[in-house]
Amino acid sequence: MAENDLKVLGAWPSPYVMRARIALNIKSLDYEFLEETFGSKSQLLLQSNPVHKKIPVLIHGDKPICESLVIVEYIDEVWASSPSILPSHPYDRATARFWASYIDEKWFPAMKGIAAAQAEEARKAAIEQVAEGLALLEDAFQKTSKGKDFFSGDKIGYLDIAFGCFLGWLRVTEKMNGIKFLDETKTPGLAKWAQKFCADAAVKDVMPETEKLAEVAKIITAKLRGAGAPPK
Amino acid sequence: MADQVVLLDFWPSPFGMRVRIALAEKGVQYEYKEEDLRNKSPLLLQSNPVHKKIPVLIHNGKAVSESLIAVQYIDEVWKDKAPLLPSDPHLRAQARFWADYVDTKMYEIGRKVWTTKGEEQDVAKKEFLECISVLEGELGDKPYFGGKTFGFVDMALIPFYTWFSVYEKFGNFSVEAEHPKFIAWAKRCLEKESVSKSIPDRQKVYDFVLEMRKKLGVE
């Protein structure tokens, strides 16, 4: 598809980059994946996202689009005919956007807080926060899935992507802290959903292996603890 | 069946103002309910159990929280009048990007400008003016961020103008002196009835903050 000149500037461990790639996969779109080197930023990145200088950036033709959820909505709107990513009803769209915002502003920062915690008490408090968040998300799942496999119903959609991209990191966190966040008793819906999500055709090739992520996590954790302050 | 629209809000909140402007743009009749944030109503706690924050838009009994999400909801439901987002997907993506920029920068930095002192305040002031610079750059020669017409980003940003007196008086600086173009944009927005009807006077916001500081015993 020559008119779909698509590039993704990203890095394989980034959950935010994964969101863009899953969306492109759902729409069966080919794209060039330009991997950024860890620790440095390419000229193309600095040029395409001068405001934040962050990945992911989707470059469509010569137009850059930044911010992972903005990218997902853009992909859904441009390639509107293929499977839909956002729900069609305005209230369902608002609900999906609400939970995606909650995940980005509260839940994932809490998860990062576990790795950044300097003392045992802070670590336990962060773990508690993450678990509480998962209880809320389990409830949201039950309500929006309406008995189907995914937050969006029969196929993966916006909220599945927004949340599912963090599953690799969630597993790493579980391993490194000897805890189980998603299980059949506490979060039965999410436990099943996680397996189905990771096995989905649009997801499985872009979801990194837990062991590889664990290695990256060790480097980042050392950096976070060394910095002496929790990350933003 | 007539639409039942309720807005749970707090008059000085820039986030609440966004929703008020959106409803005014669309000509939607609604019931405005003022919340006492030190004594939140059962309706608020029920409607936004996750964050317990205003604004909350309640449409025919269903609650929508988070101001920009509510604005998009309003745009999608009352889609036959005054579009708040452009129709072109790339321009929509730009609008969402810049509204997100306003959300992540303006409130926090603005808050630091008027609540901190000394070096921390100096850093906040510098960041604040940088933020205004970046936004002015994005505005360019356009009358509005939305282009020829007032739109999503204008709506996301203009409420913070009502807090400029607060930032300027406590931060001891003038935005107009450094960024007259930005102030010209703000005044242009205020000429719109949907905006001027929906947001309080800057003096009123300043007086409110003075009251609050007295009550908290700050000075």
Side-chain angles (χ1 to χ4, degrees):
Chain A
M1 285 185 271
E3 72 274 12
N4 294 333
D5 173 14
L6 292 163
K7 294 184 178 72
V8 171
L9 304 185
W12 65 265
S14 162
Y16 303 104
V17 171
M18 211 183 303
R19 289 171 170 176
R21 301 177 79 186
I22 295 171
L24 290 165
N25 287 346
I26 288 174
K27 303 286 189 180
S28 303
L29 293 165
D30 290 323
Y31 63 94
E32 195 185 346
F33 184 56
L34 299 172
E35 187 96 41
E36 289 285 316
T37 321
F38 190 64
S40 77
K41 294 177 199 237
S42 70
Q43 264 306 102
L44 184 58
L45 174 58
L46 298 175
Q47 229 168 280
S48 314
N49 190 358
V51 176
H52 299 303
K53 306 176 175 60
K54 284 184 173 175
I55 50 161
V57 179
L58 175 72
I59 306 178
H60 183 197
D62 58 355
K63 297 189 183 135
I65 298 106
C66 309
E67 292 301 297
S68 62
L69 295 176
V70 174
I71 293 171
V72 171
E73 293 219 30
Y74 175 80
I75 291 168
D76 200 33
E77 287 172 5
V78 174
W79 291 277
S81 54
S82 344
S84 274
I85 296 176
L86 266 96
S88 46
H89 193 281
Y91 186 70
D92 296 332
R93 292 159 74 90
T95 303
R97 287 172 177 144
F98 173 86
W99 287 111
S101 168
Y102 168 79
I103 287 160
D104 276 357
E105 283 163 33
K106 297 264 147 77
W107 187 78
F108 189 57
M111 198 157 86
K112 285 194 283 187
I114 298 174
Q118 303 278 336
E120 182 57 22
E121 228 182 271
R123 195 183 70 100
K124 281 203 179 133
I127 289 174
E128 183 66 44
Q129 261 190 293
V130 170
E132 275 167 14
L134 287 170
L136 287 177
L137 288 162
E138 170 73 21
D139 193 55
F141 178 77
Q142 298 295 349
K143 289 201 178 99
T144 65
S145 65
K146 301 186 179 90
K148 304 249 166 95
D149 287 343
F150 302 105
F151 282 91
S152 291
D154 287 316
K155 297 207 205 84
I156 66 169
Y158 183 81
L159 187 50
D160 301 283
I161 298 172
F163 184 30
C165 65
F166 292 112
L167 286 171
W169 284 104
L170 186 62
R171 284 198 210 108
V172 169
T173 307
E174 286 178 326
K175 256 184 144 167
M176 287 174 89
N177 292 274
I179 31 174
K180 211 156 191 302
F181 277 123
L182 292 187
D183 78 19
E184 293 70 32
T185 40
K186 286 183 283 178
T187 56
L190 291 182
K192 251 190 241 140
W193 162 82
Q195 288 185 345
K196 296 220 158 92
F197 179 81
C198 293
D200 190 271
V203 176
K204 60 187 200 294
D205 294 334
V206 298
M207 178 67 77
E209 290 165 34
T210 310
E211 297 74 44
K212 290 211 175 110
L213 271 187
E215 281 163 39
V216 176
K218 285 200 187 102
I219 304 171
I220 297 178
T221 310
K223 259 179 132 189
L224 290 173
R225 294 233 173 96
K232 249 203 116 250
Chain B
M1 188 180 77
D3 275 321
Q4 241 225 354
V5 183
V6 176
L7 178 63
L8 306 183
D9 202 347
F10 178 53
W11 70 265
S13 161
F15 304 103
M17 289 176 214
R18 291 163 168 180
V19 186
R20 288 174 233 162
I21 297 171
L23 290 166
E25 280 282 294
K26 300 286 188 179
V28 175
Q29 298 298 323
Y30 67 98
E31 187 189 347
Y32 179 91
K33 284 197 164 151
E34 189 76 41
E35 284 286 328
D36 175 357
L37 298 183
R38 287 154 309 169
N39 186 18
K40 296 176 180 180
S41 73
L43 182 59
L44 174 56
L45 298 175
Q46 207 177 298
S47 309
N48 190 0
V50 176
H51 302 299
K52 305 175 177 54
K53 286 182 171 178
I54 53 94
V56 181
L57 179 77
I58 311 177
H59 180 209
N60 294 333
K62 287 184 154 160
V64 178
S65 308
E66 296 299 296
S67 63
L68 294 180
I69 293 177
V71 168
Q72 287 185 89
Y73 175 83
I74 289 165
D75 199 35
E76 290 168 11
V77 172
W78 289 278
K79 58 183 186 286
D80 297 324
K81 182 180 176 188
L84 305 175
L85 274 147
S87 48
D88 173 72
H90 187 247
L91 293 175
R92 287 164 79 85
Q94 295 293 89
R96 287 180 175 129
F97 173 88
W98 285 104
D100 174 74
Y101 177 86
V102 172
D103 255 6
T104 43
K105 303 271 178 181
M106 211 66 186
Y107 181 71
E108 258 322 291
I109 301 175
R111 200 179 58 84
K112 284 205 189 121
V113 167
W114 74 271
T115 56
T116 61
K117 288 197 165 102
E119 208 186 305
E120 211 186 334
Q121 193 186 46
D122 287 337
V123 170
K125 275 160 66 174
K126 192 163 166 274
E127 277 182 358
F128 182 81
L129 289 168
E130 257 162 42
C131 187
I132 302 285
S133 269
V134 171
L135 288 165
E136 255 189 355
E138 173 54 23
L139 179 65
D141 293 320
K142 308 194 294 285
Y144 300 102
F145 285 90
K148 295 202 190 103
T149 49
F150 181 86
F152 194 63
V153 181
D154 304 279
M155 197 174 308
L157 184 55
I158 191 62
F160 291 97
Y161 179 68
T162 63
W163 279 75
F164 274 24
S165 297
V166 177
Y167 306 148
E168 287 173 330
K169 291 201 177 139
F170 289 105
N172 193 27
F173 67 109
S174 158
V175 179
E176 184 147 24
E178 317 254 351
H179 297 285
K181 215 167 79 161
F182 187 87
I183 299 299
W185 161 81
K187 292 188 174 157
R188 195 175 299 129
C189 290
L190 288 175
E191 284 167 16
K192 286 180 66 69
E193 207 187 325
S194 60
V195 176
S196 58
K197 267 194 335 182
S198 307
I199 66 179
D201 193 64
R202 300 200 298 158
Q203 187 62 43
K204 207 176 164 205
V205 176
Y206 178 70
D207 292 340
F208 159 76
V209 171
L210 271 189
E211 258 305 307
M212 209 174 41
R213 284 170 71 106
K214 256 191 231 147
K215 284 202 185 129
L216 295 171
V218 176
E219 211 51 272

